[in-house]
């Protein structure tokens, strides 16, 4: 499969009065053409910073890319100047944000906001751009697009605004679409419509999607692969089946177990993850999740776990996969999910630094 | 619940808002239900369906346009002496959705929590007041060092705990929680929900839990009401509602929830609700009728017969 994007050892920090916040601490992943990668994690886990760094939307200063590469289409985005990024942003990479009310311009007609992209990046003239804008609004399922194109964002409902934003993001046929919690502010029925729309458009246009969310139901619905982030690092990554049916990291277990299941009438206490995420001005020594991890061993407080490879596509950073680690039982709610996956290696393998 | 005792009775509650030009928005349009002592009633629906307005009208933040809310048999909206009103307000408290906007940023946590204690004169001395604050902080899983800090020093989950401590400070019987976990992370949501359940067990609280996250609502609620366009369309025991939804809107709503299971997601079929599918005749009377014991659906006479034949 062809790689569209490859992020290598990305580190992003913010300089604040309280010290340097290490928001992203060495993240590596890749994205294939036409696939959807979901990034899950709590607020402050670095998932939004990662995606905004790819778009180079991090204000510098206070933000800073400390190291790493973002290879997109064979070019390193981390080294581009602002001017060079202007030609990529909105053209090759589109972005959808969580809150369409604050990300659409309230003083501009919706049609103009779509036309702006077409005129700037695709060099269309005004008349052609308007026609295409109407077409795009129709494509994202907005009724009466001829009328809607001349309306302002406040005349749209929440779901309609999100559709309009998708139209803006897709106007230039981007190769990569970054969706940062695009459905979090929407009702379930509208959410379902937007997700269906995104999948449908992906099929038609072959766009790759990075989908950031904290809703595991949405992940199961849209993702081909999943990366779980905690405290600025990817702690587990795999295909959607591997993450949901064979999770290996205790943090992934915690996330899966803390959701009530709809089809059971089990009223036992939810397995909440105790505590709160660490302060990334002074990331803890060893495994950042250790203080909240009921499975933590002595070594977790001392030494950071390496990445283990469970199959060709499944990675997890936890000492529990080490051959010397004791066998542990995942929480009850997770045990119910487990399946034997045939693609797994007989033994997890440590990934070497150089890879 | 051995004996179901009605704590709140809501009778044909209406809340209209004038929007100018002689038009009104019927945010809540004739809703009738009871809340029993010690239970959690979940209220779900899409934004704009009137679930939050229902909650706010029940507690008296709005004057109801029509209808009645009885708390222990006493009308919430009827004219009362200020003493009676104060007593009533002490027994009903509210937890809000946005823990960032609902705590005064200029007050310390101790003052936020103790405000109700001061107003109702529940502590006689300064020492007693602080003792109550410390107790409350510990009840909600914070510690006493937090008392002198300001809201901005806390995370979302911690702020929601402060909001819960504030509501508990006046020892209420009934708490309206308006989307208390929507703004929180998944792992923190579970913490807050567990806390609310624990407090309910210990203090015998009654909750009205308003939310749009249906899986959490099902988990916390004993009964669930589904609202659509200012009306309650279905009300049943939580388990029953999920297993045997009757109203087409409830079915559509349930079918839209993505489940954390890739296999079911791949084959999931969503049903879409179209209000015109009922084919109601002009002037047909829609009523909230009991299909099976404890399971109510808003339907016409004709539909009632159909549902009755299908489900019982």
């Amino acid at each position: 499969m062809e790689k569209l994007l490859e992020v290598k050892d990305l580190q992003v920090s913010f300089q604040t009065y309280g010290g340097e916040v290490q928001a992203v601490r060495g993240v590596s992943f890749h994205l294939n053409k036409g696939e959807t990668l979901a990034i899950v994690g709590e607020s402050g886990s670095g998932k939004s910073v990662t995606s905004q760094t790819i778009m180079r939307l991090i204000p510098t200063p206070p933000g800073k890319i400390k190291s790493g590469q973002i290879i997109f289409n064979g070019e390193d985005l981390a080294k581009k100047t602002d001017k060079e990024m202007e030609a990529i942003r909105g053209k090759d990479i589109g972005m959808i944000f969580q809150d369409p009310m604050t990300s659409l311009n309230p003083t501009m007609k919706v049609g103009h906001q779509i036309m702006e992209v077409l005129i700037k990046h695709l060099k269309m003239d005004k008349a052609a751009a308007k026609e295409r804008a109407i077409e795009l609004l129709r494509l994202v399922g907005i009724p009466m697009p001829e009328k809607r194109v001349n309306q302002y964002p406040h005349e749209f409902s929440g779901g309609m605004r999100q559709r309009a934003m998708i139209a803006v993001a897709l106007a230039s046929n981007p190769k990569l679409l970054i969706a940062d919690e695009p459905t979090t502010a929407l009702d379930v029925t509208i959410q379902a419509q937007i997700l269906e729309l995104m999948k449908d458009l992906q099929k038609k246009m072959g766009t790759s999607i990075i989908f950031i969310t904290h809703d595991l139901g949405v992940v199961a619905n849209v993702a081909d692969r999943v990366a779980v982030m905690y405290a600025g690092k990817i702690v587990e990554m795999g295909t959607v089946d591997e993450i949901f049916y064979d999770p290996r990291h205790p943090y992934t277990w915690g996330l899966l177990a803390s959701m009530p299941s709809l089809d059971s009438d089990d009223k036992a206490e939810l397995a909440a993850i105790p505590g709160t995420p660490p302060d990334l001005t002074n990331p803890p020594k060893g495994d950042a999740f250790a203080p909240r991890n009921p499975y933590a061993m002595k070594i977790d407080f001392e030494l950071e776990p390496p990445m283990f490879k469970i199959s060709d596509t499944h990675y997890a950073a936890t000492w529990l996969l080490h051959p010397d680690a004791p066998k542990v039982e995942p929480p009850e709610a997770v045990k119910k999910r487990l399946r034997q996956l045939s693609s797994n290696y007989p033994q997890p393998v440590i990934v070497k630094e150089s890879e | 619940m051995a004996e179901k005792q009605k704590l709140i009775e809501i009778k044909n509650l209406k809340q209209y808002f004038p929007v100018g030009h002689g038009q009104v928005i019927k945010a809540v349009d004739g809703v009738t239900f009871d809340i029993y002592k010690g239970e959690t009633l979940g209220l779900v629906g899409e934004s704009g369906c009137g679930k939050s307005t229902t909650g706010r009208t029940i507690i008296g933040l709005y004057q109801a346009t029509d209808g009645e809310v009885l708390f222990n048999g006493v009308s919430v909206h009827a004219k009362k002496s200020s003493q009676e009103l104060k007593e009533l307000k002490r027994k009903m408290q509210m937890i809000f959705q946005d823990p960032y906007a609902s705590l005064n940023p200029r007050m310390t946590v101790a003052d936020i929590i103790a405000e109700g204690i001061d107003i109702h004169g529940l502590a006689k001395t300064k020492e007693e007041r602080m003792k109550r604050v410390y107790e409350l902080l510990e009840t909600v899983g914070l510690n006493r060092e937090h008392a002198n800090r300001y809201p901005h020093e806390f995370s979302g989950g911690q702020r929601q705990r402060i909001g819960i401590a504030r509501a508990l400070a006046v020892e209420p019987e009934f708490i309206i929680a308006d989307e208390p976990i929507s703004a929180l992370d998944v792992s923190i949501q579970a913490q807050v929900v567990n806390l609310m359940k624990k407090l309910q067990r210990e203090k015998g609280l009654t909750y009205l839990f308003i939310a749009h996250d249906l899986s959490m609502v099902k988990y916390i609620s004993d009964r669930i009401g589904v609202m659509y366009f200012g009306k309650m369309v279905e009300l049943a025991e939580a388990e029953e509602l999920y297993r045997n939804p009757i109203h087409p809107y409830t079915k559509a709503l349930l079918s839209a929830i993505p489940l954390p299971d890739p296999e079911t997601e791949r084959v999931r079929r969503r049903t879409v609700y179209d209000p015109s599918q009922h084919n109601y005749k002009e002037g047909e009377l829609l009523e909230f009728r009991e299909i099976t014991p404890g399971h109510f659906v808003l339907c016409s006479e004709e539909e009632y017969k159909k549902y009755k034949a299908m489900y019982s």
Side-chain angles (χ1 to χ4, degrees):
Chain A
M1 257 209 252
E2 210 177 335
K3 281 181 194 172
L4 176 74
L5 175 78
E6 190 164 18
V7 175
K8 288 183 188 162
D9 193 32
L10 186 69
Q11 296 190 21
V12 185
S13 288
F14 291 88
Q15 215 62 49
T16 65
Y17 290 116
E20 184 190 320
V21 180
Q22 302 172 33
V24 176
R25 305 186 296 145
V27 160
S28 304
F29 65 89
H30 74 272
L31 181 69
N32 293 327
K33 279 206 170 136
E35 96 173 327
T36 302
L37 173 74
I39 303 183
V40 244
E42 294 174 73
S43 23
S45 62
K47 55 193 198 302
S48 288
V49 174
T50 303
S51 63
Q52 286 174 16
T53 308
I54 296 170
M55 270 295 244
R56 293 288 305 279
L57 286 174
I58 297 294
T60 43
K64 189 171 180 249
I65 301 178
K66 290 192 74 182
S67 72
Q69 289 175 304
I70 304 163
I71 314 283
F72 175 74
N73 253 348
E75 288 180 277
D76 187 358
L77 298 185
K79 297 205 166 50
K80 296 249 182 230
T81 62
D82 276 352
K83 199 85 201 142
E84 289 169 319
M85 276 311 291
E86 273 176 25
I88 296 170
R89 217 183 272 142
K91 182 166 190 293
D92 294 327
I93 309 179
M95 189 151 181
I96 311 172
F97 298 90
Q98 173 173 352
D99 184 356
M101 198 61 224
T102 49
S103 39
L104 288 171
N105 185 339
T107 68
M108 266 171 91
K109 287 176 181 167
V110 171
H112 271 139
Q113 304 191 43
I114 304 174
M115 286 160 65
E116 211 182 15
V117 181
L118 298 167
I119 293 168
K120 175 156 173 49
H121 291 302
L122 302 184
K123 312 278 181 278
M124 282 188 185
D125 63 44
K126 239 179 144 181
K130 184 150 191 183
E131 207 155 294
R132 178 73 185 140
I134 292 171
E135 233 171 86
L136 280 161
L137 285 177
R138 185 173 296 124
L139 187 73
V140 295
I142 290 182
M144 292 189 292
E146 298 83 3
K147 202 175 137 216
R148 289 293 194 168
V149 81
N150 289 321
Q151 286 185 339
Y152 290 92
H154 76 264
E155 297 173 82
F156 281 49
S157 67
M160 286 293 163
R161 273 181 220 142
Q162 199 57 285
R163 283 166 192 266
M165 201 152 70
I166 293 175
V168 174
L170 292 178
S172 59
N173 280 329
K175 298 187 184 75
L176 171 62
L177 183 66
I178 299 176
D180 191 352
E181 308 248 9
T183 59
T184 308
L186 305 174
D187 284 314
V188 274
T189 44
I190 312 294
Q191 165 173 287
Q193 290 171 16
I194 298 287
L195 296 180
E196 276 162 28
L197 171 71
M198 288 180 67
K199 281 193 281 189
D200 188 43
L201 293 173
Q202 181 176 38
K203 231 179 271 164
K204 279 186 198 150
M205 302 174 143
T207 321
S208 305
I209 299 178
I210 294 181
F211 200 109
I212 295 166
T213 179
H214 62 258
D215 185 334
L216 291 169
V218 173
V219 173
N221 182 282
V222 298
D224 297 309
R225 283 191 308 130
V226 184
V228 182
M229 280 191 78
Y230 187 78
K233 291 184 172 215
I234 292 180
V235 295
E236 184 159 10
M237 180 155 62
T239 63
V240 68
D241 285 15
E242 284 167 340
I243 297 296
F244 281 90
Y245 300 134
D246 188 23
R248 297 301 181 102
H249 198 283
Y251 179 63
T252 317
W253 291 348
L255 282 183
L256 289 167
S258 64
M259 294 199 32
S261 112
L262 261 188
D263 40 348
S264 83
D265 31 354
D266 193 3
K267 293 263 172 181
E269 187 152 286
L270 289 175
I273 304 176
T276 44
D279 174 12
L280 292 178
T281 34
N282 310 297
K285 199 176 160 198
D287 184 355
F289 185 55
R292 301 175 73 189
N293 181 3
Y295 300 94
M297 298 174 285
K298 246 187 198 156
I299 190 167
D300 282 304
F301 294 95
E302 295 295 325
L303 204 61
E304 192 147 3
M307 205 45 122
F308 286 89
K309 218 172 165 183
I310 299 124
S311 77
D312 286 343
T313 46
H314 192 178
Y315 298 82
T318 164
W319 282 117
L320 290 177
L321 293 172
H322 195 274
D324 296 343
K327 273 255 165 287
V328 294
E329 294 275 309
E332 231 18 74
V334 172
K335 262 182 54 205
K336 281 188 224 147
R337 305 179 155 269
L338 293 185
R339 294 184 192 175
Q340 205 65 42
L341 297 180
S342 55
S343 53
N344 285 356
Y345 301 152
Q347 268 302 317
V349 190
I350 295 188
V351 181
K352 296 213 176 54
E353 287 296 309
S354 58
E355 267 185 67
Chain B
M1 276 171 287
E3 210 172 299
K4 281 191 181 178
Q5 192 190 338
K6 286 176 188 171
L7 183 68
I8 312 260
E9 292 167 70
I10 294 140
K11 291 177 183 163
N12 196 28
L13 186 69
K14 287 181 183 167
Q15 182 69 56
Y16 295 172
F17 296 108
V19 287
H21 307 292
Q23 287 180 313
V24 287
I25 297 233
K26 297 181 177 178
V28 178
D29 194 15
V31 167
T32 302
F33 60 96
D34 301 326
I35 304 173
Y36 300 112
K37 211 171 165 54
E39 80 163 346
T40 301
L41 182 79
L43 208 51
V44 298
E46 291 172 72
S47 39
C49 72
K51 56 188 194 300
S52 288
T53 308
T54 305
R56 297 175 80 109
T57 309
I58 290 173
I59 204 168
L61 284 173
Y62 301 132
Q63 272 302 326
T65 310
D66 193 14
E68 227 184 351
V69 178
L70 300 181
F71 181 83
N72 270 336
V74 181
S75 168
V76 174
H77 297 100
K79 235 187 158 85
K80 281 183 279 299
S81 72
S82 61
Q83 197 53 44
E84 284 169 325
L85 192 67
K86 212 166 144 184
E87 192 49 30
L88 187 74
K89 297 219 153 155
R90 189 180 70 74
K91 289 182 184 156
M92 290 171 141
Q93 285 291 315
M94 193 148 181
I95 303 169
F96 296 91
Q97 168 170 9
D98 188 347
Y100 295 82
S102 54
L103 302 177
N104 188 336
R106 296 175 174 224
M107 282 165 79
T108 61
V109 168
D111 289 337
I112 289 172
I113 295 175
E115 202 175 10
I117 299 178
D118 298 343
I119 290 170
H120 294 284
L122 298 178
K124 291 188 182 62
T125 60
K126 261 190 175 151
E127 288 73 39
E128 198 186 331
R129 177 180 183 263
M130 284 319 283
K131 203 174 141 249
R132 281 288 295 147
V133 169
Y134 292 146
E135 276 170 17
L136 285 160
L137 282 172
E138 272 155 27
T139 312
V140 298
L142 298 169
N143 48 49
R144 49 173 63 203
E145 285 83 63
H146 291 135
N148 291 318
R149 297 201 196 158
Y150 288 89
H152 75 263
E153 297 174 66
F154 294 90
S155 67
Q158 287 176 317
R159 282 181 218 208
Q160 204 51 290
R161 288 170 190 267
I162 297 169
I164 294 172
R166 170 176 64 182
L168 291 175
V170 293
E171 293 173 351
E173 294 173 29
F174 175 55
I175 292 181
I176 296 180
D178 189 358
E179 307 247 12
I181 53 167
S182 308
L184 307 176
D185 274 314
V186 191
S187 74
I188 312 293
Q189 284 185 357
Q191 290 178 11
V192 172
V193 166
N194 282 343
L195 172 67
M196 286 183 68
K197 285 202 112 168
K198 182 180 134 237
L199 293 171
Q200 184 171 42
R201 275 197 309 274
E202 288 171 2
K203 300 180 190 288
L205 294 168
T206 306
Y207 290 135
L208 177 65
F209 192 93
I210 302 168
H212 65 264
D213 176 345
L214 291 125
S215 49
M216 223 25 127
V217 174
K218 181 193 169 222
Y219 173 74
I220 196 170
S221 306
D222 299 300
R223 293 189 303 145
I224 296 176
V226 181
M227 286 190 68
Y228 182 74
F229 268 89
K231 290 202 159 53
M232 188 169 279
V233 296
E234 191 157 357
L235 176 71
E237 303 250 319
E239 203 53 47
E240 165 75 7
L241 187 87
Y242 278 83
R243 210 153 280 157
N244 304 312
I246 295 178
H247 196 277
Y249 176 69
T250 311
K251 287 183 182 171
L253 197 62
L254 289 175
S255 78
I257 311 171
L259 301 175
D261 186 342
E263 241 159 48
T264 51
E265 281 306 303
R266 267 168 220 146
V267 295
R268 188 159 60 93
R269 281 280 148 264
R270 192 160 65 85
T271 54
V272 179
Y273 176 62
D274 176 6
S276 67
Q277 73 192 73
H278 295 285
N279 281 324
Y280 291 134
K281 290 183 207 77
E282 196 63 36
E284 202 165 31
L285 183 67
L286 295 187
E287 266 185 342
F288 211 47
R289 302 168 211 251
E290 194 165 13
I291 307 289
T292 56
H295 193 152
F296 297 85
V297 178
L298 182 76
C299 56
S300 64
E301 186 66 40
E302 206 175 308
E303 281 177 316
Y304 175 66
K305 284 184 193 136
K306 192 178 85 188
Y307 292 152
K308 201 79 182 149
M310 275 166 79
Y311 294 98
S312 55

